[in-house]
Amino acid sequence: LAERAGGKGEDGEEEEDGGGGGGRGGFLGGLLGAVGGGGTSSSSPPPPRPQQVCTKFAPYPWRLTRSSMVGAARDSLSRLGQDKLSVAQMHWSTKNYLPQQEPALWDGIADVYDAGLCDAVGVSNYGPVQLSRFADRMRVRGAPFATAQIQYSLMTYGTARDAGDACEAAGCALLSYSPLCLGLLTGKYDADTLPPPG
């Protein structure tokens, strides 16, 4: 990830501006400020290394303009106490419910790169078709497409394989999350013990 985002193997963290974390940016920003760049313990500590931070931007219905993405990036950097993101990711595609929003968001994330607020761009929760379209748009805009984050487990293997092929074609790294399929593969649930509703 650090290599694709222009780094040299620095430590990495992830922040979300909404949708899943509910204020994690403030916590993570405070933590980064408190502990600095991280590092490993040894007899002589290494010099501090810059922290690599990825942020996912939610395509809220009120984010309709390119400038709204740049504003969200500036807000995220302010919460994190950072000057620049390693990767700015679109959190999910709006293709199925507000397709007219997506072109402005894609150009907006490229504008985040053009403004020097990130080293690279990426996506999260995109299927192979939209991932390929996003890659094409970023090539036109000259923004390096570094990462695609997807749910990857035995339950999602077929879809994940297709996304992996799309990542390879686009030249971006696949990042996985939820290898236990949101808890379904933990052995905790069966026909008699179902997950709680909601």
Side-chain angles (χ1 to χ4, degrees), residues 93-95 102 106 126-135:
S93 172
T94 63
K95 176 188 172 277
E102 210 148 55
W106 290 0
Y126 270 54
V129 172
Q130 284 305 93
L131 189 152
S132 296
R133 290 177 179 157
F134 180 84

Side-chain angles (χ1 to χ4, degrees), residues 84-103:
K84 192 175 199 181
L85 300 167
S86 297
V87 181
Q89 290 182 309
M90 291 301 311
H91 200 154
W92 63 83
S93 172
T94 63
K95 176 188 172 277
N96 293 329
Y97 64 91
L98 196 57
Q100 65 274 23
Q101 181 186 25
E102 210 148 55

Side-chain angles (χ1 to χ4, degrees), residues 55 57 66 69-70 88-90 104-114 118 121-122 134 138 143:
T55 295
F57 295 104
R66 294 165 61 162
M69 295 302 297
V70 175
Q89 290 182 309
M90 291 301 311
L105 296 177
W106 290 0
D107 280 331
I109 203 90
D111 290 348
V112 170
Y113 171 76
D114 289 343
C118 69
V121 299
F134 180 84
M138 293 306 104

Side-chain angles (χ1 to χ4, degrees), residues 18 23 98 185 193:
L98 196 57
L185 298 176
T193 309

Side-chain angles (χ1 to χ4, degrees), residues 4 40 45 52 77 81 144 162:
R4 288 190 185 269
T40 58
Q52 296 287 303
L77 288 166
D162 294 343

Side-chain angles (χ1 to χ4, degrees), residues 5-6 9 12 18-19 56 65 75 89 93 112 118 120 123 132 140-141 145 163 184 188 192 198:
K56 291 188 280 194
T65 64
D75 290 347
Q89 290 182 309
S93 172
V112 170
C118 69
V123 295
S132 296
V140 168
R141 288 295 309 271
F145 180 21
L184 292 177
K188 181 176 177 180
D192 297 321

